[in-house]
């Protein structure tokens, strides 16, 4: 037993040393950074890009440079709730008030509650919530979980173009941020939609997507292994009564906007990832 434990420990240490060497190599390849780029490119951030490209430094460098260019143009950290609040009026996408068992931020998506038609505004709303999810990660956690409730969904709620852009943003600019995504009780018509959409997913993301059907015990048990049942809303198979209140959520987002602004305007270096210093502001 001791021999096996020692080997396991050595393997872990070897993986950590390999990761450190690759991060150092990627840092050298990127060159000097400043401003928001410096704050964004923490060691944990670089590690995520390396993992997304199977530790290939050249591919990781290209991916990261594309993201930095995108962030420079899109400026996701400068989006404020009042700019996207209209998109959130029905609660079609919001951050839950609980984490999963691993401390991951939970985003609840209800595509059947779609209330707008502008894809551009819908994507800004999505990006705002992705940034907010990172802000509210538990200590030492890098990923989020998605719970997608298909109540009231029809294929007109989510055009293929919109689904493809969502996947593009998530995979290319928030790599390794999604830990798990549960699709709860999608209707049969979703099967045709999924046959198209799944080809936009890379292999890693594809295997993070889990379908849950109330009458399928194994799928229900899998989802409950990630969440405390008392946290899950009843409509997602739990026991909690979770009602989205737009005014309450707007007040919460206004507070988070202040924390976000304070972080990006400060001169402090990141010690771990975006969430750590932002939690410092939250606790102050």
């Amino acid at each position: 037993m001791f021999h096996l434990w020692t080997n396991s420990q050595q393997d872990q240490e070897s993986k950590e040393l390999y990761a450190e060497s690759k991060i150092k190599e990627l840092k050298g390849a990127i060159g000097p950074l400043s401003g928001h780029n410096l704050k964004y490119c923490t060691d944990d951030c670089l590690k995520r890009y390396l993992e997304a490209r199977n530790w290939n430094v050249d591919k990781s460098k290209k991916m990261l440079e594309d993201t930095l260019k995108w962030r420079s143009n899109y400026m996701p950290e400068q989006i404020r709730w009042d700019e996207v609040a209209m998109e959130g009026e029905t609660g079609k996408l919001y951050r839950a008030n609980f984490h999963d068992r691993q401390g991951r931020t939970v985003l609840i998506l209800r595509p059947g509650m779609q209330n707008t038609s502008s894809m551009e505004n819908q994507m800004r709303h999505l990006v705002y919530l992705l940034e907010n999810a990172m802000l509210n990660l538990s200590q030492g956690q890098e990923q989020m979980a998605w719970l997608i409730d298909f109540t009231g969904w029809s294929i007109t709620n989510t055009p293929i173009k919109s689904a493809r852009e969502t996947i593009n943003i998530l995979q290319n600019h928030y790599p390794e941020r999604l830990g798990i995504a549960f699709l709860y009780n999608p209707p049969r018509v979703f099967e045709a939609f999924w046959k198209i959409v799944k080809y936009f997913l890379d292999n890693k993301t594809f295997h993070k997507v889990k379908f849950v059907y109330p009458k399928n015990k194994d799928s229900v048990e899998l989802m409950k292994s990630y969440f405390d049942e008392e946290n899950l809303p009843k409509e997602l198979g739990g026991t909690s009564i979770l009602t989205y209140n737009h005014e309450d959520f707007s007040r919460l987002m206004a507070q988070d906007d202040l924390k976000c602004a304070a972080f990006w305007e400060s001169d402090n270096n990141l010690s771990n990832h975006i969430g750590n210093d932002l939690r410092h502001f939250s606790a102050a």
Side-chain angles (χ1 to χ4, degrees):
M1 178 65 74
F2 176 76
H3 178 70
L4 290 174
W5 181 84
T6 301
N7 286 341
S8 177
Q9 184 185 39
Q10 289 175 341
D11 288 344
Q12 183 61 32
E13 290 176 351
S14 178
K15 288 179 180 177
E16 290 176 358
L17 288 173
Y18 178 78
E20 289 175 6
S21 68
K22 286 294 183 178
I23 291 170
K24 185 177 181 180
E25 188 178 346
L26 181 55
K27 280 183 179 179
I30 295 170
L33 297 169
S34 61
H36 286 194
N37 286 350
L38 178 61
K39 285 199 170 191
Y40 181 76
C41 292
T42 64
D43 284 1
D44 285 326
C45 173
L46 300 186
K47 184 179 179 181
R48 288 194 303 274
Y49 280 81
L50 285 162
E51 288 178 338
R53 290 296 179 262
N54 295 314
W55 301 95
N56 182 301
V57 172
D58 289 338
K59 291 182 179 179
S60 302
K61 175 176 179 285
K62 173 66 166 57
M63 186 185 195
L64 180 55
E65 288 176 340
D66 287 345
T67 291
L68 294 180
K69 182 178 180 180
W70 175 79
R71 292 186 70 91
S72 176
N73 293 327
Y74 204 88
M75 295 183 287
E77 75 279 8
Q78 294 188 25
I79 302 173
R80 295 295 174 256
W81 176 248
D82 61 357
E83 301 173 37
V84 297
M86 184 182 72
E87 293 288 335
E89 287 179 351
T90 60
K92 66 186 177 187
L93 168 61
Y94 65 98
R95 175 170 58 81
N97 61 357
F98 59 89
H99 292 77
D100 73 358
R101 294 182 190 273
Q102 297 185 38
R104 291 184 284 219
T105 302
V106 178
L107 291 184
I108 294 180
L109 295 82
R110 302 189 294 177
M113 303 293 285
Q114 183 59 265
N115 61 323
T116 63
S117 58
S118 169
M119 192 179 84
E120 180 180 354
N121 290 340
Q122 291 167 5
M123 292 304 110
R124 284 182 66 79
H125 180 232
L126 169 70
V127 168
Y128 174 87
L129 266 300
L130 291 176
E131 294 283 314
N132 185 267
M134 300 307 103
L135 185 157
N136 288 282
L137 289 169
S138 298
Q139 184 71 30
Q141 181 55 258
E142 289 284 317
Q143 296 184 316
M144 60 186 160
W146 284 16
L147 287 173
I148 308 177
D149 176 10
F150 279 88
T151 300
W153 183 87
S154 71
I155 202 163
T156 58
N157 293 134
T158 313
I160 295 294
K161 186 177 181 181
S162 177
R164 185 171 189 172
E165 183 60 16
T166 297
I167 293 168
N168 171 57
I169 290 172
L170 182 65
Q171 289 186 161
N172 293 327
H173 302 309
Y174 295 88
E176 297 302 312
R177 284 299 199 182
L178 181 67
I180 193 80
F182 287 102
L183 280 60
Y184 191 83
N185 204 24
R188 180 164 294 182
V189 68
F190 182 78
E191 294 177 8
F193 182 82
W194 177 246
K195 285 179 180 178
I196 299 172
V197 170
K198 69 181 181 180
Y199 289 107
F200 303 146
L201 299 172
D202 62 35
N203 190 54
K204 283 187 176 182
T205 305
F206 177 80
H207 284 96
K208 293 175 182 178
V209 176
K210 309 297 180 183
F211 287 81
V212 181
Y213 298 95
K215 294 182 180 180
N216 184 308
K217 184 179 179 181
D218 289 342
S219 68
V220 170
E221 290 302 315
L222 176 64
M223 187 173 75
K224 289 183 177 179
S225 71
Y226 281 83
F227 301 94
D228 293 325
E229 192 171 353
E230 59 268 25
N231 285 334
L232 278 176
K234 281 189 174 182
E235 57 267 30
L236 293 174
T239 60
S240 173
I241 298 175
L242 186 62
T243 303
Y244 176 77
N245 185 299
H246 187 60
E247 291 184 1
D248 289 346
F249 191 72
S250 293
R251 282 192 286 268
L252 180 63
M253 293 301 97
Q255 294 172 8
D256 281 354
D257 282 351
L258 294 176
K259 290 187 290 182
C260 181
F263 167 73
W264 287 107
E265 291 169 7
S266 73
D267 293 327
N268 297 327
N269 289 324
L270 273 173
S271 58
N272 186 6
H273 61 79
I274 288 176
N276 286 343
D277 278 356
L278 285 169
R279 280 188 294 275
H280 168 74
F281 290 113
S282 178

